[in-house]
Amino acid sequence: MLGKYKAFSLALYLVVAIVFFSTEASAVKSYLFRKCEENPFCKRNRHYADQISSLSQPWEAPYEIDISTLTGLKDGTLTANILKITATGDKVELPLTVKFLKSGSVRITVDEKIRADGDIEVYGSDKLQKRRYNTLDEWALDGHIENAQDSTIEVTQTDSEISIEYGNGNKVVFVAKPFEVKFYRNGETQVILNDRGLLNYEHWRPKPTGEDAKDPQIGPYELEEGLWEDKFDSKTDKKSKGPEAIALDVTFVDYKHVYGIPEHADKLSLRETRGGPGNHEQPYRLYNVDIFEYETNSPMAMYGSIPFMQAHKPSGSAGVFWLNSADTYVDIIKTKSNDEKVLNSKQSTQTHWISEAGLLDIFVFLGDSPEEINKLYSDVTGFLQLPQTFSIAYHQCRWNYNSQDDVLEVNDNFDKHDIPYDVIWLDIEYADEKKYFLWNKKVFPDPVDMLNELDTTKRKLVTINDPHIKADENYDIFNKVDKNGLAIQDAKGGSRKGHCWPGESIWIDTLSPKARQYWDSLFASGSEFAGAATNWHIWNDMNEPSVFSGPETTAYKDDIHFGGWEHREVHNVYGLTYHNATAEALKLRYSNAQRPFVLTRAYFAGSQRVGPMWTGDNMAKWEHLKIATPMILTSGVAGMPFAGADVGGFFENPSHELLTRWYQAGAFYPFFRGHAHIDSKRREPWVPGGEYTEAISSALKLRYKLLPTLYTAFQKSSVDGSPILKPVYYISPDNEDSFDVDDEFFVGDSGILVKPITDEGAISTNIYLPDEEIYYDYNNNDITLQGAGEHSYSAPLNTIPIVVRGGHIHVVRERERRSSTLMKYDPYTVVIYLNKDGNAEGSLYADDGETYNYADGEYLETKFKFEGTTLVSTPNNGEKLSKYLESLWIEKVVIVGYKGDVGSTVQVSQDETEKSAIVSKEGNVVVVKPRVAVASEFKIELGLN
Ligand code: NOJ
């Protein structure tokens, strides 16, 4: 019996694996993934929208607030009932909760009373919850959200609407009938919910019985398709809880551009999705899937989902966070109102959000700038975890380094070629038959020794760890997870079995506290896998979860998780629960003495608190290099800034030129890792040789030089949610021409503007400057560019197009070392680029780069200001300064664009002592060697003698 089943499943696995992972055909298998019209809940809602938009009469949506149920404001919260009037005239109660947050945002939640009360019949496993999924807060939100004080909110009520003033200059009006919500800021309408009346809350109803039974609850513009059963690709989803989709339209008034909702391989400024030139035909989909060889410029779902959208216009910014972890589609259209006869001739963006299940739970953020929206969103979902310094240096990966000797040889080769790197990675082949936590001892006989060897040059090892567990009775982890019910369950109540790299597998259910506890034990210090090594870190892959044999390469929607939740309800957050379990396990392993590093492929809102993501299986093609920039920018806009793309392209072999250009772009990715498919040729930085290796090596050295600048940007993001790589419109929020520029970016607040070369054979490019400031050519400081618009820039193979905006100061480390940790005690160089008026400012943040001591005040933070002839530092350090922090010093100050004479010495004062320091000037660049400590205030005055 078993033998027959095994033989069948092996054959099935082979077919699946050949179809999925063959590198012959290089195109996404789009037939595996559902378009809106193939996914009934989406089809039903798009159809509803189409019907309503084509009506000649104004449409009155069948939802209203029962004003008599409105409660008084308490703890920043209002409640009332929304009533849905069904086709049969019944009134469905939908409890509405409106929370005003201390940070100045609003959360609107709509539940369904009958399900919340458990008064429904579930047509499947009795383990299933009856209510809609309501514990997403635990994963996605930061847990410290505070409601506003009632005294800061003013509520006015009439028979037909409730108007509330809150935050700084914000107002929201709830119109009772038909239900509509309008948000205002500074007197202007910003965001409207249910403006088009597309709210659709699929309420519970008894399952119609009999073959041809019609659902009497279906309204005039609704479809019946897939309400109770959903078939795709020969797989049937028995929808035990019936129809439960929710949909709502959100209009961003007078906003031409919207951004966010990663992950898609698409432009930064999102396209319309209802056809037309340059637009998509399909909505953007948010459904975490293993989409190998993905298409560029596509709205197809990818590995991660963040249902957060930002809108920006010159007069302000707005954001909407649709807190839902089920399969979701978002349609976008822009109103055509450029007609001058129309009173308000500005263009607006109309969006339509459709989710298969869960609560309707939406946050609305209003602000004056994109950064303000980032801050408000991060106040809700949490801030980026400040990473260890090594993790923002360079990572070397491939599928696979084949043995311990191979690893150590690659490690030595970096030194031989004088190229810095910090981390070497091991993909799935290290594990004995893909049984994670077990080494293939034939090729890795002494992993702890290998870890120690790497540690001699302060390098680290990352091993991959996937959520699938080989179904093998001789594998202890399988037995424990399977027997103790710690795996995702199928609808019948056993461990869900399916196929992944090891063959037949089960999947750890990290929604379960017991499963997480067990997970912790597997990473414990002293365990057989990595002994007590402290330079071991983790890569979480395939955690969408990827199930080769499952529908759309993932788990079945009717699988069941801890707590009785259907997979359908938690699908998009599962990857985060797994990522989080791993990071928590590492924290325990290291007794919180170092910050964990765990890379993830699948992610959701809130994943930024856990660790970085990368954009999955891209290809060694120029178009993939090009699309990586807007993808990483989008991730930053959506609060997940620690992001990267496989440098070189995962599938296929890049030409030497493509590889070089990719390293030059990658040197600025917040997460910077070279990676390649198992079938690709070796391509470590020294492999191409000659001018290519030279150019790659200098890109890597530039990355290491800029680490203090990047770390400062990471720290800022960890407290204000701002992107590490900033889209141009963040710097020029008033200049509409810059709103869809997405092929160049600024690095934090450093003023550094990079335009990666992404075209084969290109030896020059045009850099777009968004304003009238002076920009300096980073590669030749004597050249300046000025004037909003495009400027041609020569970029032969060894040149990265970089300019620096006048008025900014950034800090670098110039000594070349083998790894970032070895640079830890090196002195800094402060680089100043003067603006039109001869001034500049910037900052430096530093801590030990490893531990959480910064949280106890062990950090340095210094602002630098250059005015006229004087540089002043103003430290705002933490309370405790360690010996290490006190030892940090500035060796050099470089001032670019200085017009005056400097003489031969300058005056330096610090800690009430004065000294003179050597100064020199060449062209428009002044160099001072001041030898000052970073920790205390100093002043340098030019031109005194
Ligand atoms: C898929 C990942 O996206 C890729 O980076 C990795 O090399 C393979 N899985 C094998 O683990």
Side-chain angles (χ1 to χ4, degrees):
M1 212 11 222
L2 186 72
K4 199 169 149 198
Y5 176 68
K6 274 208 163 154
F8 169 73
S9 45
L10 183 67
L12 176 73
Y13 167 58
L14 287 176
V15 171
V16 167
I18 289 164
V19 173
F20 285 8
F21 300 100
S22 144
T23 50
E24 294 294 302
S26 54
V28 67
K29 313 281 182 297
S30 52
Y31 57 85
L32 289 174
F33 304 101
R34 301 173 107 174
K35 297 199 171 73
C36 179
E37 60 274 16
E38 294 165 332
N39 211 348
F41 77 93
C42 184
K43 183 174 178 182
R44 293 198 294 273
N45 280 288
R46 244 196 176 191
H47 171 86
Y48 189 62
D50 286 341
Q51 297 295 306
I52 288 166
S53 328
S54 64
L55 293 176
S56 49
Q57 321 272 359
W59 162 244
E60 240 195 56
Y63 296 85
E64 60 188 64
I65 300 177
D66 178 354
I67 292 263
S68 70
T69 60
L70 180 72
T71 56
L73 185 70
K74 196 168 166 236
D75 187 23
T77 308
L78 289 173
T79 63
N81 267 342
I82 295 179
L83 298 177
K84 173 181 180 181
I85 321 298
T86 71
T88 47
D90 294 332
K91 289 185 174 162
V92 177
E93 272 181 63
L94 305 173
L96 164 75
T97 308
V98 184
K99 288 195 170 167
F100 294 89
L101 309 186
K102 194 171 168 198
S103 55
S105 315
V106 180
R107 178 183 194 175
I108 299 175
T109 313
V110 183
D111 203 341
E112 184 181 352
K113 185 161 190 307
I114 193 167
R115 292 193 206 244
D117 291 348
D119 282 343
I120 66 162
E121 196 171 338
V122 165
Y123 302 94
S125 161
D126 55 9
K127 280 198 200 146
L128 285 177
Q129 287 266 357
K130 293 190 168 173
R131 59 172 312 142
R132 287 173 177 264
Y133 180 49
N134 71 343
T135 62
L136 188 52
D137 285 27
E138 276 175 32
W139 301 109
L141 305 191
D142 146 271
H144 298 106
I145 306 174
E146 281 181 62
N147 289 356
Q149 289 193 346
D150 294 349
S151 57
T152 62
I153 304 165
E154 213 178 303
V155 185
T156 329
Q157 182 193 337
T158 67
D159 284 351
S160 57
E161 60 180 48
I162 311 150
S163 167
I164 304 119
E165 293 194 25
Y166 69 96
N168 257 348
N170 298 336
K171 184 169 93 171
V172 56
V173 175
F174 287 80
V175 179
K177 190 178 174 194
F179 174 73
E180 192 179 0
V181 189
K182 297 182 186 174
F183 287 87
Y184 303 83
R185 180 171 173 81
N186 302 330
E188 273 181 36
T189 320
Q190 306 288 343
V191 174
I192 310 180
L193 312 183
N194 209 28
D195 177 33
R196 292 187 287 155
L198 305 185
L199 171 61
N200 186 19
Y201 207 107
E202 290 185 344
H203 62 283
W204 187 83
R205 72 285 308 263
K207 187 175 186 172
T209 47
E211 276 287 285
D212 304 317
K214 276 241 147 248
D215 187 333
Q217 304 270 338
I218 287 292
Y221 306 118
E222 295 172 22
L223 286 179
E224 211 170 338
E225 194 172 321
L227 291 179
W228 292 98
E229 191 175 272
D230 177 9
K231 286 193 176 142
F232 181 71
D233 188 21
S234 75
K235 299 181 175 84
T236 304
D237 168 10
K238 291 267 174 219
K239 298 188 62 200
S240 310
K241 302 207 247 177
E244 49 180 335
I246 48 162
L248 178 70
D249 63 273
V250 178
T251 299
F252 294 90
V253 181
D254 294 345
Y255 286 94
K256 256 204 250 177
H257 294 273
V258 292
Y259 310 91
I261 56 166
E263 184 176 21
H264 303 100
D266 204 11
K267 277 163 47 136
L268 174 67
S269 172
L270 298 169
R271 296 174 215 253
E272 295 187 54
T273 59
R274 289 296 204 134
N279 298 335
H280 297 303
E281 303 279 343
Q282 287 291 314
Y284 286 98
R285 186 177 183 200
L286 294 171
Y287 192 58
N288 296 356
V289 286
D290 184 353
I291 182 161
F292 36 88
E293 296 174 339
Y294 52 79
E295 247 168 36
T296 58
N297 298 303
S298 160
M300 284 175 78
M302 294 184 67
Y303 310 94
S305 299
I306 302 184
F308 165 75
M309 186 181 274
Q310 187 202 80
H312 177 68
K313 60 184 175 188
S315 62
S317 310
V320 157
F321 174 37
W322 176 262
L323 179 54
N324 189 297
S325 50
D327 194 358
T328 297
Y329 291 82
V330 185
D331 258 321
I332 299 176
I333 51 176
K334 304 201 179 172
T335 57
K336 309 277 178 283
S337 51
N338 294 328
D339 183 350
E340 283 175 11
K341 283 173 273 163
V342 178
L343 188 59
N344 174 359
S345 69
K346 291 183 191 157
Q347 202 173 29
S348 291
T349 302
Q350 298 180 327
T351 62
H352 184 202
W353 300 67
I354 307 167
S355 289
E356 189 180 11
L359 292 171
L360 195 161
D361 202 355
I362 186 169
F363 291 74
V364 177
F365 311 110
L366 304 177
D368 294 333
S369 65
E371 269 110 345
E372 220 179 294
I373 302 301
N374 286 130
K375 172 85 169 56
L376 292 171
Y377 168 77
S378 305
D379 272 327
V380 168
T381 58
F383 293 86
L384 163 113
Q385 178 203 240
L386 185 58
Q388 290 202 46
T389 308
F390 85 81
S391 60
I392 63 168
Y394 176 64
H395 301 254
Q396 181 62 47
C397 187
R398 76 168 274 111
W399 179 14
N400 223 84
Y401 290 115
N402 298 323
S403 64
Q404 192 161 329
D405 290 345
D406 194 5
V407 167
L408 295 176
E409 196 182 326
V410 172
N411 183 56
D412 287 348
N413 267 326
F414 272 95
D415 295 341
K416 248 188 230 150
H417 294 91
D418 184 28
I419 296 174
Y421 98 104
D422 269 62
V423 193
I424 190 153
W425 291 51
L426 289 176
D427 208 319
I428 50 177
E429 310 300 326
Y430 77 82
D432 183 23
E433 297 178 335
K434 320 276 186 313
K435 291 186 254 181
Y436 309 108
F437 300 101
L438 297 181
W439 289 95
N440 175 351
K441 286 281 176 128
K442 280 196 206 110
V443 279
F444 290 94
D446 196 346
V448 173
D449 194 51
M450 177 175 72
L451 278 152
N452 289 338
E453 177 75 32
L454 291 171
D455 193 44
T456 57
T457 43
K458 295 293 159 223
R459 267 105 184 217
K460 327 279 176 195
L461 178 75
V462 165
T463 57
I464 198 166
N465 210 301
D466 295 353
H468 49 254
I469 296 167
K470 186 175 167 78
D472 176 343
E473 278 158 20
N474 299 316
Y475 182 28
D476 189 43
I477 297 180
F478 165 73
N479 291 329
K480 293 225 166 81
V481 171
D482 185 45
K483 303 249 157 52
N484 294 314
L486 305 182
I488 300 177
Q489 309 284 295
D490 61 24
K492 293 195 192 104
S495 298
R496 148 66 54 212
K497 294 236 166 80
H499 285 267
C500 208
W501 298 129
E504 194 177 49
S505 305
I506 60 173
W507 278 260
I508 181 111
D509 179 12
T510 37
L511 270 83
S512 149
K514 270 199 186 148
R516 296 201 298 274
Q517 225 173 24
Y518 176 56
W519 207 239
D520 289 342
S521 71
L522 295 173
F523 289 87
S525 185
S527 67
E528 209 194 318
F529 188 82
T534 54
N535 58 340
W536 174 49
H537 305 273
I538 298 294
W539 170 15
N540 282 166
D541 187 20
M542 315 296 275
N543 52 335
E544 294 72 30
S546 173
V547 180
F548 296 163
S549 49
E552 302 193 82
T553 73
T554 189
Y556 289 71
K557 284 181 169 172
D558 51 12
D559 284 346
I560 305 173
H561 287 262
F562 171 82
W565 303 112
E566 267 197 309
H567 184 72
R568 172 191 337 280
E569 301 168 299
V570 300
H571 174 83
N572 282 345
V573 81
Y574 171 77
L576 162 56
T577 69
Y578 180 69
H579 186 205
N580 191 61
T582 311
E584 291 301 315
L586 285 187
K587 281 190 200 163
L588 285 179
R589 172 187 174 87
Y590 295 129
S591 314
N592 273 325
Q594 58 167 305
R595 307 166 214 163
F597 172 78
V598 185
L599 176 74
T600 185
R601 194 171 71 174
Y603 58 94
F604 188 68
S607 293
Q608 70 274 13
R609 301 188 309 267
V610 186
M613 57 69 77
W614 94 107
T615 63
D617 297 349
N618 58 4
M619 307 189 70
K621 292 186 171 175
W622 289 92
E623 61 180 283
H624 279 260
L625 166 58
K626 202 184 284 277
I627 207 73
T629 301
M631 289 180 77
I632 291 168
L633 291 178
T634 296
S635 208
V637 167
M640 182 81 198
F642 196 3
D646 283 348
V647 167
F650 178 67
F651 287 112
E652 303 186 359
N653 295 300
S655 66
H656 293 349
E657 184 194 358
L658 175 57
L659 184 66
T660 306
R661 291 305 195 184
W662 215 319
Y663 269 99
Q664 293 177 336
F668 295 91
Y669 295 168
F671 173 63
F672 181 23
R673 182 185 74 158
H675 183 41
H677 187 270
I678 196 165
D679 293 339
S680 63
K681 297 186 193 135
R682 289 277 168 136
R683 53 163 101 139
E684 288 70 28
W686 51 87
V687 172
E691 56 172 342
Y692 301 104
T693 291
E694 239 169 69
I696 292 172
S697 168
S698 52
L700 281 158
K701 287 178 178 163
L702 176 59
R703 169 66 169 221
Y704 277 74
K705 180 175 169 185
L706 287 172
L707 285 175
T709 298
L710 282 162
Y711 196 63
T712 301
F714 269 90
Q715 190 276 336
K716 183 159 185 290
S717 182
S718 76
V719 294
D720 73 2
S722 56
I724 310 292
L725 298 191
K726 291 191 174 173
V728 175
Y729 74 88
Y730 272 62
I731 308 300
S732 54
D734 299 331
N735 171 5
E736 291 199 54
D737 289 345
S738 71
F739 289 5
D740 66 355
V741 174
D742 62 6
D743 53 1
E744 56 183 51
F745 49 80
F746 284 90
V747 179
D749 292 335
S750 66
I752 296 173
L753 171 59
V754 185
K755 164 94 186 259
I757 295 286
T758 58
D759 290 308
E760 185 165 19
I763 49 164
S764 73
T765 187
N766 286 332
I767 295 193
Y768 173 79
L769 304 184
D771 53 32
E772 297 298 326
E773 194 43 83
I774 306 181
Y775 285 74
Y776 298 85
D777 180 348
Y778 185 85
N779 297 299
N780 178 351
N781 284 323
D782 282 332
I783 301 178
T784 55
L785 290 68
Q786 202 171 4
E790 303 216 318
H791 294 256
S792 143
Y793 193 104
S794 161
L797 187 75
N798 62 4
T799 303
I800 312 176
I802 308 174
V803 294
V804 189
R805 187 170 187 267
H808 298 260
I809 299 179
H810 72 273
V811 179
V812 298
R813 272 188 166 134
E814 296 188 284
R815 311 223 167 142
E816 290 175 8
R817 307 270 183 196
R818 291 189 282 184
S819 66
S820 70
T821 314
L822 297 176
M823 298 169 87
K824 189 171 171 181
Y825 292 87
D826 286 349
Y828 293 110
T829 295
V830 176
V831 195
I832 303 173
Y833 286 88
L834 300 180
N835 66 10
K836 289 184 285 189
D837 304 326
N839 303 327
E841 50 186 79
S843 64
L844 171 70
Y845 171 86
D847 58 25
D848 63 23
E850 284 169 43
T851 72
Y852 289 102
N853 292 353
Y854 68 89
D856 298 329
E858 216 177 284
Y859 63 85
L860 292 181
E861 201 175 349
T862 294
K863 294 233 174 316
F864 300 106
K865 197 163 188 174
F866 188 92
E867 261 176 332
T869 56
T870 310
L871 172 67
V872 176
S873 85
T874 317
N876 181 22
N877 301 328
E879 273 146 32
K880 288 194 216 157
L881 287 195
S882 59
K883 287 248 162 328
Y884 163 68
L885 292 174
E886 279 174 351
S887 76
L888 292 173
W889 60 287
I890 295 167
E891 166 178 56
K892 225 198 255 179
V893 173
V894 177
I895 307 158
V896 183
Y898 190 72
K899 300 232 169 63
D901 260 353
V902 289
S904 58
T905 57
V906 295
Q907 211 52 32
V908 178
S909 48
Q910 183 167 48
D911 295 335
E912 286 157 28
T913 56
E914 301 239 341
K915 61 180 180 184
S916 56
I918 302 170
V919 62
S920 61
K921 185 173 182 200
E922 223 184 294
N924 70 354
V925 181
V926 175
V927 175
V928 182
K929 304 227 169 123
R931 280 202 87 89
V932 279
V934 183
S936 58
E937 191 176 317
F938 65 82
K939 187 162 149 192
I940 300 176
E941 286 184 82
L942 299 183
L944 292 184
N945 48 38

